[in-house]
């Protein structure tokens, strides 16, 4: 009984490697994991086999085979295990960095979209020039209308607002407020000069901006599009991950549809 218990204890460690290696291989094959992921599983399986051989009595193995196992097989296993780990870890690291960078780019695109909307409210069109848009943010003004209502209570429900304005009971006062104070007043550490450039680009590259018009039901509708190419804001990361279909260039607006949304919204 003691010998059996001792044998069970000795084979637990290699058995764990065998089970883990088989589990990784089965999971990798059924979930279309990378080759390196599968190599990691085979590496664990090999470690299990090797440790099992050593456990049951490596002194019975030919000395040449033992040296091959020690000086060739074990280093190869370690390399495969490391490559398998990288094959799992690298996509996770990329995904985290992709999301982090995308959030920064999205924030800047939203600021540009807000500026385009303000520009249209003043000029009745969008601009396709980034210099013009940033200059408008720095120096432009928006009309600010305030209404003073001096209408006697008895007349407020008996006359339309237009008539009350004509009679002078309601006074419309026109003022102006800078774009910076109106739209970006509460944006922390806002610098309009940063809006030229796509975050994480090195050397710095500008956003691509276009404007135009579409005909909808006989009406000419202004449209715009601002794009940050994924190859620019993901510079420095592995191309094989950047080129995945699920990794997208980010944009707001469209030249083919009268929309202002971001393509992530």
């Amino acid at each position: 009984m003691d010998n059996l218990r001792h044998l069970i204890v000795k084979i637990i460690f290699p058995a764990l490697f065998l089970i883990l290696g088989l589990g990784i291989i089965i999971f990798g094959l059924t979930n279309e994991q990378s080759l390196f992921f599968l190599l990691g599983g085979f590496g664990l399986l090999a470690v299990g086999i090797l440790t099992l051989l050593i456990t049951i009595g490596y002194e019975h193995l030919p000395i040449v085979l033992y040296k091959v196992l020690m000086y060739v097989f074990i280093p190869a296993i370690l390399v495969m295990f490391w490559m398998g780990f990288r094959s799992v870890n690298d996509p996770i690291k990329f995904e985290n960095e992709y999301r982090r960078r995308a959030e920064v780019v999205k924030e800047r695109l939203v600021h540009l979209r807000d500026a385009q909307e303000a520009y249209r409210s003043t000029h009745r069109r969008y601009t396709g020039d980034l210099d013009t848009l940033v200059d408008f943010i720095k120096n432009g003004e928006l009309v600010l209308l305030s209404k003073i209502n001096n209408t006697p209570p008895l007349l407020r429900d008996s006359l339309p607002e237009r008539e009350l304005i004509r009679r002078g009971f309601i006074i419309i006062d026109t003022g102006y407020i800078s774009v910076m104070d109106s739209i970006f007043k509460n944006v922390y550490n806002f610098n309009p000069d940063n809006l030229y450039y796509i975050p994480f680009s090195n050397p710095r590259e500008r956003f691509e901006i276009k404007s135009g018009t579409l005909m909808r039901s006989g009406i000419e509708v202004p449209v715009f599009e601002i794009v940050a190419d994924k190859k620019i804001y993901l510079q420095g990361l592995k191309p094989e991950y950047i080129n995945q279909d699920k990794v997208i260039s980010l944009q707001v607006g469209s030249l083919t549809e009268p929309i202002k949304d971001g393509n992530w919204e």
Side-chain angles (χ1 to χ4, degrees):
M1 182 64 70
D2 290 338
N3 291 335
L4 179 60
R5 185 181 300 124
H6 181 67
L7 179 61
I8 292 173
V9 170
K10 287 177 66 176
I11 66 173
I12 284 178
F13 182 71
L16 288 175
F17 275 102
L18 288 169
I19 294 170
L20 183 58
L22 284 171
I24 289 176
I25 292 169
I26 294 171
F27 177 82
L29 291 174
T30 55
N31 291 274
E32 299 182 354
Q33 295 296 318
S34 69
L35 174 61
F36 291 141
F37 185 91
L38 293 172
L39 286 175
F42 281 112
L44 289 173
L45 185 63
V47 169
I49 294 172
L50 178 60
T51 53
L52 182 62
L53 290 173
I54 293 173
T55 299
I56 63 177
Y58 66 86
E59 67 275 4
H60 300 299
L61 298 175
I63 189 65
V64 174
L65 180 58
Y66 176 68
K67 289 182 177 180
V68 169
L69 291 174
M70 290 299 295
Y71 299 114
V72 178
F73 199 50
I74 289 180
I77 290 171
L78 294 175
V79 170
M80 286 190 295
F81 186 77
W82 171 248
M83 294 173 71
F85 171 77
R86 287 285 300 273
S87 72
V88 176
N89 190 53
D90 283 0
I92 295 173
K93 288 173 62 178
F94 172 82
E95 186 68 23
N96 291 336
E97 182 65 10
Y98 167 48
R99 290 181 180 180
R100 185 184 75 84
R101 294 191 185 190
E103 287 305 312
V104 178
V105 176
K106 290 174 187 178
E107 181 180 36
R108 197 160 294 182
L109 284 169
V110 169
H111 290 333
L112 289 168
R113 177 177 64 189
D114 293 342
Q116 280 280 39
E117 284 300 295
Y119 186 91
R120 182 189 178 188
S121 71
T122 301
H123 298 87
R124 297 186 179 181
R125 60 181 175 84
Y126 296 115
T127 179
D129 182 74
L130 197 54
D131 292 310
T132 299
L133 186 60
V134 173
D135 181 71
F136 175 73
I137 294 171
K138 293 179 179 178
N139 305 305
E141 293 182 324
L142 301 176
V143 175
L144 187 64
L145 299 178
S146 59
K147 183 166 60 175
I148 302 173
N149 193 341
N150 296 317
T151 307
L154 293 176
L155 295 179
R156 288 182 181 177
D157 296 328
S158 60
L159 294 174
E161 185 176 80
R162 180 181 299 177
E163 181 63 21
L164 294 174
I165 293 173
R166 189 185 71 81
R167 295 190 184 189
F169 291 117
I170 296 178
I171 300 172
I172 304 297
D173 185 35
T174 302
Y176 296 90
I177 184 172
S178 71
V179 175
M180 288 283 289
D181 289 337
S182 174
I183 300 176
F184 302 107
K185 180 180 180 180
N186 296 321
V187 178
Y188 175 73
N189 202 25
F190 179 75
N191 181 357
D193 288 325
N194 290 335
L195 295 182
Y196 285 115
Y197 305 107
I198 299 174
F200 310 105
S201 59
N202 186 22
R204 296 198 297 179
E205 296 195 37
R206 291 188 171 203
F207 286 96
E208 181 183 347
I209 180 171
K210 297 177 182 179
S211 65
T213 57
L214 294 175
M215 293 300 296
R216 288 293 185 270
S217 302
I219 300 174
E220 199 172 54
V221 181
V223 292
F224 75 93
E225 180 180 274
I226 306 174
V227 179
D229 190 283
K230 65 180 182 179
K231 293 181 180 178
I232 296 177
Y233 76 85
L234 294 175
Q235 282 181 3
L237 304 182
K238 290 187 175 181
E240 59 265 33
Y241 298 136
I242 297 175
N243 293 331
Q244 296 176 100
D245 291 338
K246 67 178 183 178
V247 178
I248 62 172
S249 298
L250 297 171
Q251 74 175 61
V252 288
S254 171
L255 295 180
T256 58
E257 294 292 334
I259 59 173
K260 298 171 287 185
D261 296 339
N263 62 341
W264 66 89
E265 295 177 318

